Amino acid sequence: MWKKILAGLGVVVLLIAAAAAWLWSLIDTSQAATDVRTSQAGQIAYLQQSLAAQAGTNPRGRVLAVVTSTAFYPPAVVDGKIKKTGYELTELSRFYWVLLANGFAVDIASPQGGDAPRVLDDDDMAEFDYAFLNDATAMQKARNTIKLADVNPEDYQAIYFVGGKGAMYDLPQEPQIARLAQAMVAQQKLVVAVCHGPAALALLTNSDGTPWLTGKKVTGFTNAEELLLMSDAENRFSFLLQSKLEQQGALFAEGPRYLPNLVIDGQLITGQNPWSVWQLAEATVRALGVELLPRLASAEERTMQLLQTHQSQGLAAAQSQIELQLADGPLQRNLVVTMALVGAMAGEWTQSVSLLRLTQQIKNQQQMQQAQQ
């Protein structure tokens, strides 16, 4: 009896070990070895246009990016650990470069002014983001944000509310945001927000006191996205963003979890999550009446396109697009593995296994591509 039990346990252990080895084999270690921390704007073809824009004296217009001043979760210390927050750098940097490359000047403001707290997620940072950190002009603006009370809305064609969990604490109650947003809306200027950025719009009202968002199509960080990675979000925040926007009468468009989603309703442009920033920035440029400067999609964007195909059309359709995507540039198979693990966390095992199979196919195609070079 005991021999059979031990034999059975041995088989289970071997299966788990084999599964772990297979999963580890899917990780792209060459991606981790690529160091983009020294990236400079002048080294990136697309951003060479932005350098010319910085030197120009007559930009096509000005856009105001608004970031949070909240640096810590309340309470700041939990179980002896300091809980930092702020705005997501990637949500500022990518928007900044797209607007600048297309001829617009970008200023940065915050409720308190000065050096606003930045969140740098190493897993998501890429060359554009490090180029921002290494750019003297960009960082001068980031370290010396304009105090919202000192902003004149007449100076700007659009206002952009950057996400990051810190935005949930100070942006909704900030009276200067109401002043600026109302002025922009009155003049038919653009109001743009991404991820947690729409929190800035959550409590805006019309002159009669009714919610400004009523009847407007909008998106933002969804309840599903929030609660999967922060199960106590309802206690950490005064509201869940999606729930609050819906309570205000907004027509909330919830896209698939952690995949890009862009919603445009007249002069209001919103993106669901950090992976929506590229689309959001380019939609802003188009809405400002400018033909976009051509830009090659990043490896992250191409991978997201593959994940969207997988979500909407299934594994076979996604697999059929791998070769075409690789012809345009690299893919981030570690991102696909991450999404598979996220699916497992949500109990979506079939989806998770399907994404791992997609990752295996990406690896196979990458190896074939390398062999042909």
Side-chain angles (χ1 to χ4, degrees):
M1 179 68 176
W2 285 109
K3 290 182 179 180
K4 290 182 179 180
I5 293 175
L6 290 173
L9 287 174
V11 170
V12 170
V13 169
L14 287 173
L15 288 174
I16 292 174
W22 175 63
L23 183 60
W24 180 254
S25 75
L26 297 179
I27 302 298
D28 186 355
T29 55
S30 65
Q31 180 180 323
T34 303
D35 189 359
V36 295
R37 290 174 295 179
T38 59
S39 296
Q40 300 286 334
Q43 299 170 343
I44 303 172
Y46 178 73
L47 298 189
Q48 290 170 2
Q49 177 75 15
S50 70
L51 295 179
Q54 288 183 46
T57 57
N58 296 303
R60 285 172 166 158
R62 306 189 74 83
V63 173
L64 183 71
V66 177
V67 299
T68 179
S69 291
T70 302
F72 301 98
Y73 287 103
V77 180
V78 177
D79 297 329
K81 298 181 180 179
I82 297 176
K83 297 292 185 178
K84 295 182 179 180
T85 186
Y87 70 89
E88 291 287 341
L89 179 82
T90 59
E91 296 177 22
L92 173 63
S93 58
R94 298 173 188 188
F95 185 91
Y96 176 90
W97 287 127
V98 170
L99 270 290
L100 207 61
N102 284 278
F104 292 89
V106 181
D107 292 332
I108 307 173
S110 66
Q112 296 178 19
D115 193 1
R118 293 173 289 281
V119 174
L120 277 60
D121 191 333
D122 292 339
D123 292 334
D124 297 326
M125 295 278 287
E127 58 180 355
F128 285 89
D129 312 305
Y130 285 108
F132 184 94
L133 290 176
N134 295 328
D135 186 81
T137 300
M139 288 307 296
Q140 191 278 333
K141 293 185 176 187
R143 293 191 177 108
N144 299 276
T145 64
I146 305 167
K147 190 173 183 178
L148 283 176
D150 297 331
V151 172
N152 181 356
E154 299 291 333
D155 295 338
Y156 300 98
Q157 293 176 262
I159 187 168
Y160 168 51
F161 296 105
V162 181
K165 289 179 167 44
M168 295 287 287
Y169 294 102
D170 57 354
L171 298 194
Q173 291 82 20
E174 174 54 54
Q176 294 300 328
I177 284 180
R179 174 181 70 89
L180 294 172
Q182 288 165 359
M184 303 292 281
V185 169
Q187 297 180 39
Q188 293 294 300
K189 295 180 178 179
L190 294 181
V191 176
V192 185
V194 76
C195 200
H196 290 91
L201 313 175
L203 302 181
L204 291 184
T205 59
N206 298 308
S207 57
D208 61 0
T210 57
W212 179 72
L213 284 171
T214 298
K216 290 182 172 61
K217 297 176 183 177
V218 67
T219 192
F221 209 58
T222 67
N223 290 352
E225 291 170 322
E226 196 79 85
L227 293 170
L228 183 62
L229 299 181
M230 185 187 284
S231 59
D232 61 345
E234 291 180 272
N235 297 323
R236 300 290 291 276
F237 302 131
S238 58
F239 55 78
L240 291 178
L241 182 58
Q242 177 181 350
S243 297
K244 175 57 73 174
L245 299 182
E246 290 174 337
Q247 289 167 12
Q248 295 294 90
L251 305 177
F252 192 91
E254 179 179 0
R257 188 181 55 228
Y258 306 128
L259 295 183
N261 181 31
L262 178 72
V263 174
I264 302 175
D265 188 349
Q267 300 300 100
L268 176 61
I269 304 175
T270 51
Q272 180 169 315
N273 48 42
W275 297 278
S276 308
V277 174
W278 291 114
Q279 293 180 16
L280 182 97
E282 294 186 339
T284 301
V285 172
R286 286 192 295 267
L288 290 171
V290 172
E291 184 177 351
L292 281 166
L293 180 74
R295 179 182 62 83
L296 292 176
S298 66
E300 179 186 270
E301 288 177 277
R302 284 189 291 274
T303 307
M304 278 294 171
Q305 290 169 9
L306 209 59
L307 287 167
Q308 287 180 301
T309 298
H310 180 272
Q311 175 71 30
S312 61
Q313 301 177 43
L315 176 61
Q319 288 176 323
S320 69
Q321 291 186 6
I322 294 173
E323 186 175 357
L324 184 63
Q325 292 284 6
L326 284 174
D328 291 335
L331 290 170
Q332 294 181 343
R333 70 173 189 257
N334 292 353
L335 179 55
V336 185
V337 172
T338 298
M339 291 299 181
L341 295 177
V342 166
M345 289 171 60
E348 299 169 356
W349 296 104
T350 300
Q351 180 83 342
S352 180
V353 171
S354 182
L355 286 171
L356 290 176
R357 290 176 64 190
L358 178 62
T359 309
Q360 181 67 67
Q361 185 63 28
I362 294 172
K363 179 183 177 181
N364 294 343
Q365 290 289 115
Q366 287 173 328
Q367 291 176 334
M368 288 176 59
Q369 185 185 62
Q370 291 168 2
Q372 294 170 359
Q373 291 176 351

